[in-house]
Amino acid sequence: LKIALLLKEESDQCCSVLGEKLNSVAISTISHHLKQMAESGLLTYRNKGTFVYYSLDVEAAKTYAPFMIT
């Protein structure tokens, strides 16, 4: 939920930036959750070099977690 809320506020973030914002969570854990969220359709992503940038899919969030979109 924290990852999705961060991406709602600031889209197009890579794992390392999210790791800085969630400093009590290991980067490997964040990466795992980002992958799972992307595979479920909640996040969109794009590759740029060796980095993957994630954004919240607003339409999916409206459908499955409408409380997030206000």
Side-chain angles (χ1 to χ4, degrees):
L1 180 60
K2 288 181 182 181
I3 293 170
L5 291 172
L6 285 171
L7 289 172
K8 174 190 166 205
E9 297 300 319
E10 240 183 293
S11 64
D12 208 33
Q13 299 291 315
C14 66
C15 187
S16 59
V17 171
L18 291 169
E20 291 173 9
K21 294 179 181 182
L22 298 170
N23 58 9
S24 64
V25 181
I27 297 293
S28 60
T29 302
I30 295 170
S31 177
H32 173 76
H33 287 292
L34 287 168
K35 181 181 177 196
Q36 297 296 316
M37 293 167 71
E39 287 177 354
S40 71
L42 186 59
L43 302 181
T44 59
Y45 64 92
R46 68 178 177 86
N47 295 312
K48 185 174 181 184
T50 59
F51 292 95
V52 181
Y53 292 86
Y54 294 90
S55 296
L56 182 68
D57 184 328
V58 177
E59 292 305 313
K62 283 180 185 176
T63 301
Y64 297 110
F67 67 90
M68 287 182 53
I69 308 301
T70 55

